[in-house]
PDB file of all heavy atoms in Angstrom:
ATOM      1  N   ASP A 267       0.804  -1.231  -0.023  1.00 97.00           N
ATOM      2  CA  ASP A 267      -0.006  -0.022  -0.006  1.00 97.00           C
ATOM      3  C   ASP A 267       0.873   1.292  -0.005  1.00 97.00           C
ATOM      4  O   ASP A 267       0.369   2.346   0.296  1.00 97.00           O
ATOM      5  CB  ASP A 267      -0.939   0.010   1.155  1.00 97.00           C
ATOM      6  CG  ASP A 267      -0.259  -0.039   2.525  1.00 97.00           C
ATOM      7  OD1 ASP A 267       0.968   0.121   2.573  1.00 97.00           O
ATOM      8  OD2 ASP A 267      -0.957  -0.239   3.574  1.00 97.00           O
ATOM      9  N   GLY A 268       2.161   1.091  -0.329  1.00 95.00           N
ATOM     10  CA  GLY A 268       3.084   2.226  -0.307  1.00 95.00           C
ATOM     11  C   GLY A 268       3.869   2.294   0.954  1.00 95.00           C
ATOM     12  O   GLY A 268       4.935   2.882   0.974  1.00 95.00           O
ATOM     13  N   VAL A 269       3.361   1.662   2.034  1.00 96.00           N
ATOM     14  CA  VAL A 269       4.089   1.636   3.322  1.00 96.00           C
ATOM     15  C   VAL A 269       4.267   0.198   3.778  1.00 96.00           C
ATOM     16  O   VAL A 269       5.391  -0.274   3.967  1.00 96.00           O
ATOM     17  CB  VAL A 269       3.294   2.449   4.394  1.00 96.00           C
ATOM     18  CG1 VAL A 269       3.986   2.351   5.726  1.00 96.00           C
ATOM     19  CG2 VAL A 269       3.112   3.883   3.985  1.00 96.00           C
ATOM     20  N   ASP A 270       3.171  -0.504   3.942  1.00 97.00           N
ATOM     21  CA  ASP A 270       3.222  -1.875   4.407  1.00 97.00           C
ATOM     22  C   ASP A 270       3.216  -2.845   3.212  1.00 97.00           C
ATOM     23  O   ASP A 270       2.639  -2.579   2.182  1.00 97.00           O
ATOM     24  CB  ASP A 270       2.055  -2.201   5.321  1.00 97.00           C
ATOM     25  CG  ASP A 270       2.126  -1.417   6.616  1.00 97.00           C
ATOM     26  OD1 ASP A 270       3.213  -1.282   7.159  1.00 97.00           O
ATOM     27  OD2 ASP A 270       1.035  -1.035   7.098  1.00 97.00           O
ATOM     28  N   VAL A 271       3.931  -3.990   3.398  1.00 98.00           N
ATOM     29  CA  VAL A 271       3.958  -5.024   2.399  1.00 98.00           C
ATOM     30  C   VAL A 271       3.582  -6.339   3.045  1.00 98.00           C
ATOM     31  O   VAL A 271       4.116  -6.694   4.106  1.00 98.00           O
ATOM     32  CB  VAL A 271       5.372  -5.161   1.802  1.00 98.00           C
ATOM     33  CG1 VAL A 271       5.393  -6.269   0.749  1.00 98.00           C
ATOM     34  CG2 VAL A 271       5.849  -3.855   1.199  1.00 98.00           C
ATOM     35  N   VAL A 272       2.622  -7.046   2.450  1.00 98.00           N
ATOM     36  CA  VAL A 272       2.213  -8.376   2.937  1.00 98.00           C
ATOM     37  C   VAL A 272       2.426  -9.380   1.830  1.00 98.00           C
ATOM     38  O   VAL A 272       1.919  -9.185   0.714  1.00 98.00           O
ATOM     39  CB  VAL A 272       0.745  -8.419   3.426  1.00 98.00           C
ATOM     40  CG1 VAL A 272       0.346  -9.831   3.801  1.00 98.00           C
ATOM     41  CG2 VAL A 272       0.612  -7.496   4.660  1.00 98.00           C
ATOM     42  N   ILE A 273       3.180 -10.426   2.105  1.00 98.00           N
ATOM     43  CA  ILE A 273       3.410 -11.478   1.123  1.00 98.00           C
ATOM     44  C   ILE A 273       2.172 -12.279   0.940  1.00 98.00           C
ATOM     45  O   ILE A 273       1.536 -12.751   1.916  1.00 98.00           O
ATOM     46  CB  ILE A 273       4.535 -12.404   1.580  1.00 98.00           C
ATOM     47  CG1 ILE A 273       5.843 -11.636   1.842  1.00 98.00           C
ATOM     48  CG2 ILE A 273       4.783 -13.536   0.580  1.00 98.00           C
ATOM     49  CD1 ILE A 273       6.506 -11.065   0.597  1.00 98.00           C
ATOM     50  N   GLY A 274       1.770 -12.527  -0.303  1.00 98.00           N
ATOM     51  CA  GLY A 274       0.644 -13.402  -0.582  1.00 98.00           C
ATOM     52  C   GLY A 274       1.062 -14.829  -0.587  1.00 98.00           C
ATOM     53  O   GLY A 274       0.455 -15.667   0.087  1.00 98.00           O
ATOM     54  N   GLY A 275       2.153 -15.133  -1.267  1.00 97.00           N
ATOM     55  CA  GLY A 275       2.676 -16.482  -1.297  1.00 97.00           C
ATOM     56  C   GLY A 275       4.077 -16.561  -1.890  1.00 97.00           C
ATOM     57  O   GLY A 275       4.369 -15.799  -2.806  1.00 97.00           O
ATOM     58  N   VAL A 276       4.876 -17.507  -1.394  1.00 98.00           N
ATOM     59  CA  VAL A 276       6.192 -17.798  -1.953  1.00 98.00           C
ATOM     60  C   VAL A 276       6.097 -19.152  -2.627  1.00 98.00           C
ATOM     61  O   VAL A 276       5.854 -20.161  -1.944  1.00 98.00           O
ATOM     62  CB  VAL A 276       7.295 -17.774  -0.922  1.00 98.00           C
ATOM     63  CG1 VAL A 276       8.639 -18.099  -1.497  1.00 98.00           C
ATOM     64  CG2 VAL A 276       7.330 -16.454  -0.186  1.00 98.00           C
ATOM     65  N   MET A 277       6.319 -19.218  -3.925  1.00 97.00           N
ATOM     66  CA  MET A 277       6.141 -20.487  -4.693  1.00 97.00           C
ATOM     67  C   MET A 277       7.503 -20.975  -5.191  1.00 97.00           C
ATOM     68  O   MET A 277       8.272 -20.157  -5.748  1.00 97.00           O
ATOM     69  CB  MET A 277       5.212 -20.256  -5.888  1.00 97.00           C
ATOM     70  CG  MET A 277       3.755 -19.982  -5.491  1.00 97.00           C
ATOM     71  SD  MET A 277       2.953 -18.929  -6.740  1.00 97.00           S
ATOM     72  CE  MET A 277       3.513 -17.294  -6.201  1.00 97.00           C
ATOM     73  N   GLU A 278       7.810 -22.213  -4.962  1.00 97.00           N
ATOM     74  CA  GLU A 278       9.033 -22.820  -5.414  1.00 97.00           C
ATOM     75  C   GLU A 278       8.774 -23.650  -6.687  1.00 97.00           C
ATOM     76  O   GLU A 278       7.922 -24.543  -6.663  1.00 97.00           O
ATOM     77  CB  GLU A 278       9.623 -23.716  -4.314  1.00 97.00           C
ATOM     78  CG  GLU A 278      10.869 -24.451  -4.755  1.00 97.00           C
ATOM     79  CD  GLU A 278      11.265 -25.480  -3.729  1.00 97.00           C
ATOM     80  OE1 GLU A 278      11.457 -25.116  -2.524  1.00 97.00           O
ATOM     81  OE2 GLU A 278      11.377 -26.675  -4.070  1.00 97.00           O
ATOM     82  N   HIS A 279       9.511 -23.345  -7.759  1.00 96.00           N
ATOM     83  CA  HIS A 279       9.301 -24.094  -9.001  1.00 96.00           C
ATOM     84  C   HIS A 279       9.887 -25.461  -8.827  1.00 96.00           C
ATOM     85  O   HIS A 279      10.964 -25.632  -8.166  1.00 96.00           O
ATOM     86  CB  HIS A 279       9.996 -23.382 -10.174  1.00 96.00           C
ATOM     87  CG  HIS A 279       9.305 -22.079 -10.551  1.00 96.00           C
ATOM     88  ND1 HIS A 279       9.474 -21.541 -11.790  1.00 96.00           N
ATOM     89  CD2 HIS A 279       8.498 -21.260  -9.844  1.00 96.00           C
ATOM     90  CE1 HIS A 279       8.732 -20.419 -11.848  1.00 96.00           C
ATOM     91  NE2 HIS A 279       8.183 -20.204 -10.693  1.00 96.00           N
ATOM     92  N   ILE A 280       9.254 -26.453  -9.381  1.00 93.00           N
ATOM     93  CA  ILE A 280       9.770 -27.829  -9.331  1.00 93.00           C
ATOM     94  C   ILE A 280      10.876 -28.003 -10.385  1.00 93.00           C
ATOM     95  O   ILE A 280      11.942 -28.539 -10.129  1.00 93.00           O
ATOM     96  CB  ILE A 280       8.633 -28.837  -9.524  1.00 93.00           C
ATOM     97  CG1 ILE A 280       7.694 -28.725  -8.302  1.00 93.00           C
ATOM     98  CG2 ILE A 280       9.186 -30.290  -9.691  1.00 93.00           C
ATOM     99  CD1 ILE A 280       6.376 -29.494  -8.471  1.00 93.00           C
ATOM    100  N   GLU A 281      10.616 -27.549 -11.617  1.00 90.00           N
ATOM    101  CA  GLU A 281      11.664 -27.600 -12.646  1.00 90.00           C
ATOM    102  C   GLU A 281      12.694 -26.532 -12.381  1.00 90.00           C
ATOM    103  O   GLU A 281      12.370 -25.516 -11.764  1.00 90.00           O
ATOM    104  CB  GLU A 281      11.002 -27.430 -13.998  1.00 90.00           C
ATOM    105  CG  GLU A 281      10.194 -28.585 -14.537  1.00 90.00           C
ATOM    106  CD  GLU A 281       8.844 -28.667 -13.956  1.00 90.00           C
ATOM    107  OE1 GLU A 281       8.384 -27.678 -13.317  1.00 90.00           O
ATOM    108  OE2 GLU A 281       8.139 -29.683 -14.134  1.00 90.00           O
ATOM    109  N   PRO A 282      13.947 -26.744 -12.855  1.00 88.00           N
ATOM    110  CA  PRO A 282      14.983 -25.739 -12.586  1.00 88.00           C
ATOM    111  C   PRO A 282      14.780 -24.467 -13.357  1.00 88.00           C
ATOM    112  O   PRO A 282      14.005 -24.417 -14.325  1.00 88.00           O
ATOM    113  CB  PRO A 282      16.264 -26.462 -13.041  1.00 88.00           C
ATOM    114  CG  PRO A 282      15.814 -27.490 -14.041  1.00 88.00           C
ATOM    115  CD  PRO A 282      14.441 -27.898 -13.595  1.00 88.00           C
ATOM    116  N   ALA A 283      15.453 -23.408 -12.930  1.00 87.00           N
ATOM    117  CA  ALA A 283      15.393 -22.136 -13.634  1.00 87.00           C
ATOM    118  C   ALA A 283      15.821 -22.361 -15.110  1.00 87.00           C
ATOM    119  O   ALA A 283      16.675 -23.160 -15.418  1.00 87.00           O
ATOM    120  CB  ALA A 283      16.340 -21.116 -13.003  1.00 87.00           C
ATOM    121  N   GLY A 284      15.181 -21.650 -15.972  1.00 84.00           N
ATOM    122  CA  GLY A 284      15.415 -21.784 -17.425  1.00 84.00           C
ATOM    123  C   GLY A 284      14.142 -22.227 -18.163  1.00 84.00           C
ATOM    124  O   GLY A 284      14.048 -22.095 -19.355  1.00 84.00           O
ATOM    125  N   ILE A 285      13.189 -22.771 -17.382  1.00 88.00           N
ATOM    126  CA  ILE A 285      11.887 -23.117 -17.923  1.00 88.00           C
ATOM    127  C   ILE A 285      10.916 -22.004 -17.558  1.00 88.00           C
ATOM    128  O   ILE A 285      10.883 -21.515 -16.414  1.00 88.00           O
ATOM    129  CB  ILE A 285      11.381 -24.496 -17.397  1.00 88.00           C
ATOM    130  CG1 ILE A 285      12.270 -25.572 -17.926  1.00 88.00           C
ATOM    131  CG2 ILE A 285       9.932 -24.709 -17.733  1.00 88.00           C
ATOM    132  CD1 ILE A 285      11.979 -26.957 -17.372  1.00 88.00           C
ATOM    133  N   HIS A 286      10.150 -21.495 -18.514  1.00 87.00           N
ATOM    134  CA  HIS A 286       9.273 -20.360 -18.261  1.00 87.00           C
ATOM    135  C   HIS A 286       8.391 -20.634 -17.044  1.00 87.00           C
ATOM    136  O   HIS A 286       7.870 -21.728 -16.861  1.00 87.00           O
ATOM    137  CB  HIS A 286       8.419 -20.059 -19.519  1.00 87.00           C
ATOM    138  CG  HIS A 286       7.721 -18.753 -19.469  1.00 87.00           C
ATOM    139  ND1 HIS A 286       6.573 -18.503 -18.763  1.00 87.00           N
ATOM    140  CD2 HIS A 286       8.065 -17.565 -20.004  1.00 87.00           C
ATOM    141  CE1 HIS A 286       6.226 -17.265 -18.880  1.00 87.00           C
ATOM    142  NE2 HIS A 286       7.127 -16.637 -19.628  1.00 87.00           N
ATOM    143  N   SER A 287       8.207 -19.560 -16.230  1.00 86.00           N
ATOM    144  CA  SER A 287       7.388 -19.717 -15.010  1.00 86.00           C
ATOM    145  C   SER A 287       5.992 -20.139 -15.286  1.00 86.00           C
ATOM    146  O   SER A 287       5.332 -20.777 -14.447  1.00 86.00           O
ATOM    147  CB  SER A 287       7.407 -18.393 -14.202  1.00 86.00           C
ATOM    148  OG  SER A 287       6.842 -17.333 -15.032  1.00 86.00           O
ATOM    149  N   GLY A 288       5.459 -19.805 -16.499  1.00 88.00           N
ATOM    150  CA  GLY A 288       4.112 -20.267 -16.824  1.00 88.00           C
ATOM    151  C   GLY A 288       4.024 -21.709 -17.164  1.00 88.00           C
ATOM    152  O   GLY A 288       2.933 -22.297 -17.177  1.00 88.00           O
ATOM    153  N   ASP A 289       5.150 -22.362 -17.462  1.00 89.00           N
ATOM    154  CA  ASP A 289       5.193 -23.785 -17.818  1.00 89.00           C
ATOM    155  C   ASP A 289       5.644 -24.652 -16.661  1.00 89.00           C
ATOM    156  O   ASP A 289       5.374 -25.877 -16.707  1.00 89.00           O
ATOM    157  CB  ASP A 289       6.118 -23.995 -19.011  1.00 89.00           C
ATOM    158  CG  ASP A 289       5.573 -23.456 -20.295  1.00 89.00           C
ATOM    159  OD1 ASP A 289       4.399 -23.068 -20.332  1.00 89.00           O
ATOM    160  OD2 ASP A 289       6.346 -23.470 -21.309  1.00 89.00           O
ATOM    161  N   SER A 290       6.345 -24.126 -15.698  1.00 90.00           N
ATOM    162  CA  SER A 290       6.905 -24.934 -14.593  1.00 90.00           C
ATOM    163  C   SER A 290       5.831 -25.216 -13.544  1.00 90.00           C
ATOM    164  O   SER A 290       4.996 -24.377 -13.265  1.00 90.00           O
ATOM    165  CB  SER A 290       8.068 -24.155 -13.944  1.00 90.00           C
ATOM    166  OG  SER A 290       8.620 -24.911 -12.895  1.00 90.00           O
ATOM    167  N   ALA A 291       5.844 -26.435 -13.049  1.00 94.00           N
ATOM    168  CA  ALA A 291       5.058 -26.754 -11.867  1.00 94.00           C
ATOM    169  C   ALA A 291       5.647 -26.009 -10.661  1.00 94.00           C
ATOM    170  O   ALA A 291       6.834 -25.733 -10.650  1.00 94.00           O
ATOM    171  CB  ALA A 291       4.994 -28.248 -11.616  1.00 94.00           C
ATOM    172  N   CYS A 292       4.820 -25.680  -9.683  1.00 96.00           N
ATOM    173  CA  CYS A 292       5.338 -25.005  -8.480  1.00 96.00           C
ATOM    174  C   CYS A 292       4.583 -25.457  -7.271  1.00 96.00           C
ATOM    175  O   CYS A 292       3.447 -25.957  -7.316  1.00 96.00           O
ATOM    176  CB  CYS A 292       5.314 -23.502  -8.626  1.00 96.00           C
ATOM    177  SG  CYS A 292       3.651 -22.785  -8.557  1.00 96.00           S
ATOM    178  N   ALA A 293       5.205 -25.321  -6.108  1.00 97.00           N
ATOM    179  CA  ALA A 293       4.648 -25.719  -4.826  1.00 97.00           C
ATOM    180  C   ALA A 293       4.576 -24.524  -3.860  1.00 97.00           C
ATOM    181  O   ALA A 293       5.450 -23.665  -3.801  1.00 97.00           O
ATOM    182  CB  ALA A 293       5.533 -26.817  -4.192  1.00 97.00           C
ATOM    183  N   LEU A 294       3.518 -24.493  -3.111  1.00 97.00           N
ATOM    184  CA  LEU A 294       3.285 -23.453  -2.087  1.00 97.00           C
ATOM    185  C   LEU A 294       2.780 -24.205  -0.853  1.00 97.00           C
ATOM    186  O   LEU A 294       1.736 -24.830  -0.929  1.00 97.00           O
ATOM    187  CB  LEU A 294       2.281 -22.431  -2.571  1.00 97.00           C
ATOM    188  CG  LEU A 294       2.215 -21.050  -1.791  1.00 97.00           C
ATOM    189  CD1 LEU A 294       1.230 -20.134  -2.505  1.00 97.00           C
ATOM    190  CD2 LEU A 294       1.832 -21.200  -0.337  1.00 97.00           C
ATOM    191  N   PRO A 295       3.492 -24.149   0.292  1.00 96.00           N
ATOM    192  CA  PRO A 295       4.748 -23.416   0.550  1.00 96.00           C
ATOM    193  C   PRO A 295       5.957 -24.162  -0.080  1.00 96.00           C
ATOM    194  O   PRO A 295       5.847 -25.321  -0.462  1.00 96.00           O
ATOM    195  CB  PRO A 295       4.846 -23.426   2.065  1.00 96.00           C
ATOM    196  CG  PRO A 295       4.111 -24.667   2.487  1.00 96.00           C
ATOM    197  CD  PRO A 295       2.971 -24.809   1.512  1.00 96.00           C
ATOM    198  N   PRO A 296       7.134 -23.491  -0.174  1.00 96.00           N
ATOM    199  CA  PRO A 296       8.334 -24.122  -0.714  1.00 96.00           C
ATOM    200  C   PRO A 296       8.728 -25.379   0.061  1.00 96.00           C
ATOM    201  O   PRO A 296       8.489 -25.458   1.268  1.00 96.00           O
ATOM    202  CB  PRO A 296       9.398 -23.025  -0.625  1.00 96.00           C
ATOM    203  CG  PRO A 296       8.614 -21.736  -0.538  1.00 96.00           C
ATOM    204  CD  PRO A 296       7.349 -22.079   0.216  1.00 96.00           C
ATOM    205  N   GLN A 297       9.406 -26.242  -0.644  1.00 95.00           N
ATOM    206  CA  GLN A 297       9.764 -27.601  -0.018  1.00 95.00           C
ATOM    207  C   GLN A 297      11.264 -27.785   0.172  1.00 95.00           C
ATOM    208  O   GLN A 297      11.663 -28.583   1.016  1.00 95.00           O
ATOM    209  CB  GLN A 297       9.184 -28.724  -0.895  1.00 95.00           C
ATOM    210  CG  GLN A 297       7.686 -28.653  -1.119  1.00 95.00           C
ATOM    211  CD  GLN A 297       6.945 -28.900   0.156  1.00 95.00           C
ATOM    212  OE1 GLN A 297       7.052 -29.909   0.792  1.00 95.00           O
ATOM    213  NE2 GLN A 297       6.187 -27.868   0.577  1.00 95.00           N
ATOM    214  N   ARG A 298      12.105 -27.117  -0.595  1.00 93.00           N
ATOM    215  CA  ARG A 298      13.557 -27.400  -0.554  1.00 93.00           C
ATOM    216  C   ARG A 298      14.400 -26.268  -0.037  1.00 93.00           C
ATOM    217  O   ARG A 298      15.601 -26.404   0.122  1.00 93.00           O
ATOM    218  CB  ARG A 298      14.038 -27.794  -1.961  1.00 93.00           C
ATOM    219  CG  ARG A 298      13.415 -29.029  -2.527  1.00 93.00           C
ATOM    220  CD  ARG A 298      13.838 -29.240  -4.012  1.00 93.00           C
ATOM    221  NE  ARG A 298      13.205 -28.261  -4.876  1.00 93.00           N
ATOM    222  CZ  ARG A 298      13.548 -28.086  -6.158  1.00 93.00           C
ATOM    223  NH1 ARG A 298      14.491 -28.812  -6.715  1.00 93.00           N
ATOM    224  NH2 ARG A 298      12.891 -27.171  -6.856  1.00 93.00           N
ATOM    225  N   LEU A 299      13.800 -25.102   0.171  1.00 95.00           N
ATOM    226  CA  LEU A 299      14.583 -23.900   0.519  1.00 95.00           C
ATOM    227  C   LEU A 299      14.717 -23.704   2.032  1.00 95.00           C
ATOM    228  O   LEU A 299      13.753 -23.951   2.776  1.00 95.00           O
ATOM    229  CB  LEU A 299      13.934 -22.653  -0.112  1.00 95.00           C
ATOM    230  CG  LEU A 299      13.891 -22.713  -1.628  1.00 95.00           C
ATOM    231  CD1 LEU A 299      12.987 -21.579  -2.151  1.00 95.00           C
ATOM    232  CD2 LEU A 299      15.268 -22.578  -2.238  1.00 95.00           C
ATOM    233  N   SER A 300      15.860 -23.258   2.478  1.00 95.00           N
ATOM    234  CA  SER A 300      16.091 -23.062   3.909  1.00 95.00           C
ATOM    235  C   SER A 300      15.347 -21.834   4.432  1.00 95.00           C
ATOM    236  O   SER A 300      14.933 -20.973   3.659  1.00 95.00           O
ATOM    237  CB  SER A 300      17.586 -22.838   4.193  1.00 95.00           C
ATOM    238  OG  SER A 300      18.020 -21.574   3.628  1.00 95.00           O
ATOM    239  N   ALA A 301      15.153 -21.790   5.758  1.00 96.00           N
ATOM    240  CA  ALA A 301      14.460 -20.658   6.385  1.00 96.00           C
ATOM    241  C   ALA A 301      15.237 -19.380   6.133  1.00 96.00           C
ATOM    242  O   ALA A 301      14.625 -18.263   5.941  1.00 96.00           O
ATOM    243  CB  ALA A 301      14.347 -20.908   7.853  1.00 96.00           C
ATOM    244  N   GLU A 302      16.589 -19.451   6.072  1.00 97.00           N
ATOM    245  CA  GLU A 302      17.404 -18.271   5.839  1.00 97.00           C
ATOM    246  C   GLU A 302      17.210 -17.713   4.422  1.00 97.00           C
ATOM    247  O   GLU A 302      17.051 -16.484   4.249  1.00 97.00           O
ATOM    248  CB  GLU A 302      18.896 -18.602   6.047  1.00 97.00           C
ATOM    249  CG  GLU A 302      19.272 -18.911   7.501  1.00 97.00           C
ATOM    250  CD  GLU A 302      18.874 -20.330   7.906  1.00 97.00           C
ATOM    251  OE1 GLU A 302      18.535 -21.147   7.055  1.00 97.00           O
ATOM    252  OE2 GLU A 302      18.854 -20.596   9.116  1.00 97.00           O
ATOM    253  N   ILE A 303      17.108 -18.578   3.442  1.00 97.00           N
ATOM    254  CA  ILE A 303      16.895 -18.152   2.072  1.00 97.00           C
ATOM    255  C   ILE A 303      15.541 -17.544   1.911  1.00 97.00           C
ATOM    256  O   ILE A 303      15.326 -16.485   1.332  1.00 97.00           O
ATOM    257  CB  ILE A 303      17.068 -19.326   1.079  1.00 97.00           C
ATOM    258  CG1 ILE A 303      18.547 -19.737   0.960  1.00 97.00           C
ATOM    259  CG2 ILE A 303      16.546 -18.957  -0.292  1.00 97.00           C
ATOM    260  CD1 ILE A 303      19.438 -18.737   0.342  1.00 97.00           C
ATOM    261  N   LEU A 304      14.487 -18.178   2.531  1.00 97.00           N
ATOM    262  CA  LEU A 304      13.143 -17.638   2.418  1.00 97.00           C
ATOM    263  C   LEU A 304      13.033 -16.284   3.124  1.00 97.00           C
ATOM    264  O   LEU A 304      12.348 -15.388   2.643  1.00 97.00           O
ATOM    265  CB  LEU A 304      12.174 -18.647   3.040  1.00 97.00           C
ATOM    266  CG  LEU A 304      11.966 -19.930   2.253  1.00 97.00           C
ATOM    267  CD1 LEU A 304      11.126 -20.937   3.020  1.00 97.00           C
ATOM    268  CD2 LEU A 304      11.361 -19.646   0.906  1.00 97.00           C
TER     269      LEU A 304
END
């Protein structure tokens, strides 16, 4: 809203980077990423 930011969702792609995001399957919440990375 210009001041506050609320995350709707963090999605982890199943296929590796290089495949278009519209074609890759994804999971919410992420399954392989560390708490520090998230």
Side-chain angles (χ1 to χ4, degrees):
D267 61 10
V269 177
D270 293 323
V271 180
V272 174
I273 302 291
V276 180
M277 293 151 278
E278 177 190 304
H279 292 203
I280 294 169
E281 288 80 11
I285 293 175
H286 193 279
S287 60
D289 288 352
S290 180
C292 71
L294 197 175
Q297 301 296 299
R298 297 174 290 171
L299 298 169
S300 68
E302 292 77 14
I303 290 293
L304 291 173

